[in-house]
Short mmCIF file of all heavy atoms in Angstrom, two decimals:
data_model
loop_
_atom_site.label_atom_id
_atom_site.label_comp_id
_atom_site.label_asym_id
_atom_site.label_seq_id
_atom_site.Cartn_x
_atom_site.Cartn_y
_atom_site.Cartn_z
N SER A 1343 32.62 -7.88 -41.78
CA SER A 1343 32.66 -6.66 -42.55
C SER A 1343 33.18 -5.55 -41.65
O SER A 1343 32.61 -5.30 -40.58
CB SER A 1343 31.28 -6.30 -43.08
OG SER A 1343 31.30 -5.05 -43.75
N ASN A 1344 34.25 -4.90 -42.10
CA ASN A 1344 34.85 -3.82 -41.29
C ASN A 1344 35.11 -4.30 -39.86
O ASN A 1344 34.82 -3.58 -38.90
CB ASN A 1344 33.95 -2.59 -41.29
CG ASN A 1344 33.83 -1.96 -42.65
OD1 ASN A 1344 34.77 -1.96 -43.43
ND2 ASN A 1344 32.65 -1.45 -42.94
N ARG A 1345 35.60 -5.51 -39.74
CA ARG A 1345 35.97 -6.11 -38.46
C ARG A 1345 34.76 -6.41 -37.59
O ARG A 1345 34.91 -6.79 -36.43
CB ARG A 1345 36.96 -5.23 -37.69
CG ARG A 1345 38.26 -4.99 -38.44
CD ARG A 1345 39.24 -4.21 -37.61
NE ARG A 1345 40.49 -3.97 -38.34
CZ ARG A 1345 41.52 -3.32 -37.84
NH1 ARG A 1345 41.48 -2.85 -36.62
NH2 ARG A 1345 42.60 -3.15 -38.58
N ASN A 1346 33.56 -6.23 -38.11
CA ASN A 1346 32.36 -6.61 -37.36
C ASN A 1346 31.76 -7.87 -37.94
O ASN A 1346 31.78 -8.08 -39.15
CB ASN A 1346 31.32 -5.48 -37.42
CG ASN A 1346 31.81 -4.22 -36.74
OD1 ASN A 1346 32.37 -4.26 -35.66
ND2 ASN A 1346 31.61 -3.09 -37.39
N SER A 1347 31.22 -8.68 -37.08
CA SER A 1347 30.57 -9.90 -37.53
C SER A 1347 29.12 -9.61 -37.90
O SER A 1347 28.42 -8.91 -37.19
CB SER A 1347 30.63 -10.97 -36.44
OG SER A 1347 31.94 -11.43 -36.27
N ILE A 1348 28.72 -10.17 -39.02
CA ILE A 1348 27.33 -10.05 -39.47
C ILE A 1348 26.75 -11.45 -39.50
O ILE A 1348 27.37 -12.38 -40.01
CB ILE A 1348 27.28 -9.43 -40.88
CG1 ILE A 1348 27.97 -8.06 -40.87
CG2 ILE A 1348 25.83 -9.30 -41.35
CD1 ILE A 1348 28.13 -7.46 -42.24
N THR A 1349 25.57 -11.60 -38.94
CA THR A 1349 24.99 -12.92 -38.82
C THR A 1349 23.61 -12.98 -39.46
O THR A 1349 22.95 -11.96 -39.65
CB THR A 1349 24.87 -13.34 -37.35
OG1 THR A 1349 24.02 -12.40 -36.67
CG2 THR A 1349 26.22 -13.35 -36.66
N SER A 1350 23.21 -14.20 -39.77
CA SER A 1350 21.89 -14.44 -40.34
C SER A 1350 21.39 -15.77 -39.81
O SER A 1350 22.19 -16.70 -39.58
CB SER A 1350 21.97 -14.47 -41.87
OG SER A 1350 20.69 -14.71 -42.42
N TYR A 1351 20.08 -15.85 -39.58
CA TYR A 1351 19.49 -17.06 -39.02
C TYR A 1351 18.24 -17.47 -39.79
O TYR A 1351 17.49 -16.62 -40.27
CB TYR A 1351 19.10 -16.85 -37.55
CG TYR A 1351 20.25 -16.55 -36.64
CD1 TYR A 1351 20.64 -15.25 -36.38
CD2 TYR A 1351 20.95 -17.58 -36.03
CE1 TYR A 1351 21.71 -14.97 -35.53
CE2 TYR A 1351 22.01 -17.32 -35.19
CZ TYR A 1351 22.38 -16.01 -34.95
OH TYR A 1351 23.44 -15.75 -34.11
N ALA A 1352 18.02 -18.77 -39.85
CA ALA A 1352 16.74 -19.25 -40.35
C ALA A 1352 15.66 -18.94 -39.32
O ALA A 1352 15.93 -18.90 -38.11
CB ALA A 1352 16.83 -20.77 -40.59
N ASP A 1353 14.45 -18.71 -39.78
CA ASP A 1353 13.36 -18.37 -38.86
C ASP A 1353 13.15 -19.46 -37.81
O ASP A 1353 12.79 -19.16 -36.67
CB ASP A 1353 12.06 -18.17 -39.64
CG ASP A 1353 12.07 -16.88 -40.45
OD1 ASP A 1353 12.91 -15.99 -40.17
OD2 ASP A 1353 11.23 -16.76 -41.36
N SER A 1354 13.39 -20.69 -38.18
CA SER A 1354 13.11 -21.81 -37.28
C SER A 1354 14.05 -21.84 -36.07
O SER A 1354 13.75 -22.53 -35.08
CB SER A 1354 13.23 -23.13 -38.04
OG SER A 1354 14.52 -23.27 -38.60
N VAL A 1355 15.15 -21.12 -36.13
CA VAL A 1355 16.11 -21.16 -35.01
C VAL A 1355 16.34 -19.79 -34.37
O VAL A 1355 17.08 -19.69 -33.37
CB VAL A 1355 17.47 -21.75 -35.46
CG1 VAL A 1355 17.28 -23.12 -36.08
CG2 VAL A 1355 18.20 -20.81 -36.39
N LYS A 1356 15.74 -18.75 -34.92
CA LYS A 1356 15.93 -17.41 -34.35
C LYS A 1356 15.51 -17.38 -32.90
O LYS A 1356 14.48 -17.90 -32.51
CB LYS A 1356 15.12 -16.38 -35.14
CG LYS A 1356 15.77 -15.93 -36.43
CD LYS A 1356 14.91 -14.89 -37.14
CE LYS A 1356 15.55 -14.46 -38.44
NZ LYS A 1356 14.69 -13.53 -39.20
N GLY A 1357 16.35 -16.76 -32.08
CA GLY A 1357 16.06 -16.66 -30.66
C GLY A 1357 16.52 -17.87 -29.86
O GLY A 1357 16.54 -17.81 -28.63
N ARG A 1358 16.89 -18.94 -30.54
CA ARG A 1358 17.35 -20.15 -29.83
C ARG A 1358 18.81 -20.46 -30.13
O ARG A 1358 19.53 -20.96 -29.27
CB ARG A 1358 16.49 -21.36 -30.23
CG ARG A 1358 15.03 -21.22 -29.92
CD ARG A 1358 14.28 -22.53 -30.16
NE ARG A 1358 14.34 -22.96 -31.54
CZ ARG A 1358 14.80 -24.15 -31.93
NH1 ARG A 1358 15.27 -25.01 -31.05
NH2 ARG A 1358 14.80 -24.48 -33.21
N PHE A 1359 19.25 -20.18 -31.35
CA PHE A 1359 20.62 -20.48 -31.76
C PHE A 1359 21.41 -19.18 -31.89
O PHE A 1359 20.86 -18.14 -32.30
CB PHE A 1359 20.65 -21.20 -33.11
CG PHE A 1359 20.11 -22.60 -33.12
CD1 PHE A 1359 19.43 -23.12 -32.02
CD2 PHE A 1359 20.29 -23.41 -34.23
CE1 PHE A 1359 18.94 -24.42 -32.04
CE2 PHE A 1359 19.81 -24.70 -34.26
CZ PHE A 1359 19.13 -25.21 -33.16
N THR A 1360 22.69 -19.26 -31.57
CA THR A 1360 23.58 -18.11 -31.72
C THR A 1360 24.87 -18.57 -32.39
O THR A 1360 25.52 -19.51 -31.92
CB THR A 1360 23.90 -17.48 -30.36
OG1 THR A 1360 22.69 -17.09 -29.72
CG2 THR A 1360 24.79 -16.25 -30.54
N ILE A 1361 25.24 -17.88 -33.46
CA ILE A 1361 26.48 -18.18 -34.15
C ILE A 1361 27.52 -17.14 -33.76
O ILE A 1361 27.20 -15.96 -33.56
CB ILE A 1361 26.27 -18.21 -35.69
CG1 ILE A 1361 27.49 -18.79 -36.39
CG2 ILE A 1361 25.93 -16.82 -36.22
CD1 ILE A 1361 27.24 -19.07 -37.89
N SER A 1362 28.75 -17.58 -33.62
CA SER A 1362 29.84 -16.66 -33.28
C SER A 1362 31.14 -17.21 -33.85
O SER A 1362 31.21 -18.37 -34.25
CB SER A 1362 29.95 -16.49 -31.76
OG SER A 1362 30.26 -17.73 -31.14
N ARG A 1363 32.15 -16.36 -33.90
CA ARG A 1363 33.43 -16.83 -34.42
C ARG A 1363 34.57 -16.28 -33.57
O ARG A 1363 34.48 -15.17 -33.04
CB ARG A 1363 33.61 -16.45 -35.89
CG ARG A 1363 33.84 -14.99 -36.19
CD ARG A 1363 33.64 -14.68 -37.69
NE ARG A 1363 34.50 -15.49 -38.54
CZ ARG A 1363 34.35 -15.56 -39.87
NH1 ARG A 1363 33.39 -14.88 -40.46
NH2 ARG A 1363 35.16 -16.30 -40.59
N ASP A 1364 35.62 -17.09 -33.46
CA ASP A 1364 36.84 -16.69 -32.79
C ASP A 1364 37.92 -16.72 -33.87
O ASP A 1364 38.43 -17.80 -34.21
CB ASP A 1364 37.15 -17.66 -31.65
CG ASP A 1364 38.38 -17.26 -30.86
OD1 ASP A 1364 39.24 -16.53 -31.40
OD2 ASP A 1364 38.50 -17.69 -29.71
N ASN A 1365 38.24 -15.56 -34.41
CA ASN A 1365 39.18 -15.52 -35.53
C ASN A 1365 40.58 -15.97 -35.11
O ASN A 1365 41.31 -16.53 -35.92
CB ASN A 1365 39.25 -14.11 -36.13
CG ASN A 1365 38.02 -13.80 -36.96
OD1 ASN A 1365 37.36 -14.72 -37.47
ND2 ASN A 1365 37.71 -12.53 -37.11
N ALA A 1366 40.94 -15.74 -33.86
CA ALA A 1366 42.26 -16.16 -33.40
C ALA A 1366 42.39 -17.67 -33.45
O ALA A 1366 43.48 -18.21 -33.66
CB ALA A 1366 42.51 -15.65 -31.99
N LYS A 1367 41.28 -18.36 -33.25
CA LYS A 1367 41.28 -19.83 -33.27
C LYS A 1367 40.76 -20.38 -34.59
O LYS A 1367 40.68 -21.60 -34.77
CB LYS A 1367 40.44 -20.39 -32.13
CG LYS A 1367 40.97 -20.06 -30.75
CD LYS A 1367 40.09 -20.68 -29.66
CE LYS A 1367 40.65 -20.40 -28.27
NZ LYS A 1367 39.80 -20.98 -27.20
N ASN A 1368 40.37 -19.49 -35.50
CA ASN A 1368 39.77 -19.93 -36.77
C ASN A 1368 38.63 -20.91 -36.53
O ASN A 1368 38.51 -21.94 -37.21
CB ASN A 1368 40.82 -20.56 -37.68
CG ASN A 1368 41.53 -19.52 -38.52
OD1 ASN A 1368 41.22 -18.34 -38.47
ND2 ASN A 1368 42.50 -19.98 -39.29
N THR A 1369 37.79 -20.58 -35.59
CA THR A 1369 36.70 -21.48 -35.20
C THR A 1369 35.39 -20.71 -35.15
O THR A 1369 35.35 -19.57 -34.67
CB THR A 1369 36.99 -22.12 -33.84
OG1 THR A 1369 38.20 -22.88 -33.93
CG2 THR A 1369 35.85 -23.06 -33.44
N VAL A 1370 34.36 -21.33 -35.66
CA VAL A 1370 33.01 -20.78 -35.60
C VAL A 1370 32.17 -21.70 -34.72
O VAL A 1370 32.29 -22.93 -34.79
CB VAL A 1370 32.39 -20.66 -37.00
CG1 VAL A 1370 30.92 -20.28 -36.92
CG2 VAL A 1370 33.16 -19.62 -37.81
N TYR A 1371 31.35 -21.10 -33.88
CA TYR A 1371 30.53 -21.85 -32.94
C TYR A 1371 29.06 -21.66 -33.26
O TYR A 1371 28.64 -20.61 -33.74
CB TYR A 1371 30.80 -21.39 -31.51
CG TYR A 1371 32.24 -21.48 -31.10
CD1 TYR A 1371 33.06 -20.35 -31.14
CD2 TYR A 1371 32.79 -22.68 -30.70
CE1 TYR A 1371 34.39 -20.42 -30.78
CE2 TYR A 1371 34.13 -22.77 -30.33
CZ TYR A 1371 34.92 -21.63 -30.37
OH TYR A 1371 36.25 -21.72 -30.01
N LEU A 1372 28.29 -22.69 -32.94
CA LEU A 1372 26.83 -22.58 -33.02
C LEU A 1372 26.29 -23.02 -31.66
O LEU A 1372 26.30 -24.21 -31.34
CB LEU A 1372 26.27 -23.44 -34.14
CG LEU A 1372 24.75 -23.29 -34.35
CD1 LEU A 1372 24.42 -21.90 -34.90
CD2 LEU A 1372 24.23 -24.36 -35.30
N GLN A 1373 25.88 -22.05 -30.87
CA GLN A 1373 25.28 -22.34 -29.58
C GLN A 1373 23.80 -22.60 -29.80
O GLN A 1373 23.08 -21.72 -30.31
CB GLN A 1373 25.47 -21.17 -28.61
CG GLN A 1373 24.82 -21.37 -27.26
CD GLN A 1373 25.46 -22.48 -26.46
OE1 GLN A 1373 26.69 -22.59 -26.41
NE2 GLN A 1373 24.64 -23.31 -25.82
N MET A 1374 23.35 -23.78 -29.42
CA MET A 1374 21.96 -24.17 -29.65
C MET A 1374 21.27 -24.38 -28.30
O MET A 1374 21.68 -25.26 -27.53
CB MET A 1374 21.91 -25.46 -30.47
CG MET A 1374 22.70 -25.38 -31.77
SD MET A 1374 22.51 -26.83 -32.83
CE MET A 1374 23.24 -28.09 -31.79
N ASN A 1375 20.29 -23.55 -28.03
CA ASN A 1375 19.53 -23.63 -26.78
C ASN A 1375 18.09 -24.01 -27.07
O ASN A 1375 17.63 -23.91 -28.20
CB ASN A 1375 19.58 -22.30 -26.05
CG ASN A 1375 20.98 -21.89 -25.66
OD1 ASN A 1375 21.85 -22.72 -25.40
ND2 ASN A 1375 21.23 -20.58 -25.61
N SER A 1376 17.38 -24.42 -26.03
CA SER A 1376 15.96 -24.77 -26.16
C SER A 1376 15.74 -25.73 -27.33
O SER A 1376 14.85 -25.55 -28.16
CB SER A 1376 15.11 -23.50 -26.35
OG SER A 1376 15.30 -22.62 -25.28
N LEU A 1377 16.56 -26.75 -27.37
CA LEU A 1377 16.49 -27.68 -28.50
C LEU A 1377 15.19 -28.45 -28.52
O LEU A 1377 14.61 -28.77 -27.47
CB LEU A 1377 17.68 -28.64 -28.45
CG LEU A 1377 19.01 -28.02 -28.92
CD1 LEU A 1377 20.19 -28.83 -28.45
CD2 LEU A 1377 19.00 -27.89 -30.44
#
């Protein structure tokens, strides 16, 4: 939205998972820590 990324997480993964996107590569990532 307005060139800013807006994210949402399920409670079960908040603080452990991070979603991000690289528009130049048309790729979205999900970094999962403390699995």
Side-chain angles (χ1 to χ4, degrees):
S1343 175
N1344 295 325
R1345 300 184 180 181
N1346 296 315
S1347 290
I1348 303 172
T1349 60
S1350 179
Y1351 297 92
D1353 288 343
S1354 58
V1355 305
K1356 279 181 181 176
R1358 300 188 298 123
F1359 291 10
T1360 302
I1361 192 170
S1362 62
R1363 72 195 303 169
D1364 183 336
N1365 285 336
K1367 296 181 178 179
N1368 274 357
T1369 300
V1370 171
Y1371 304 98
L1372 185 68
Q1373 177 67 43
M1374 306 186 296
N1375 298 329
S1376 302
L1377 283 162

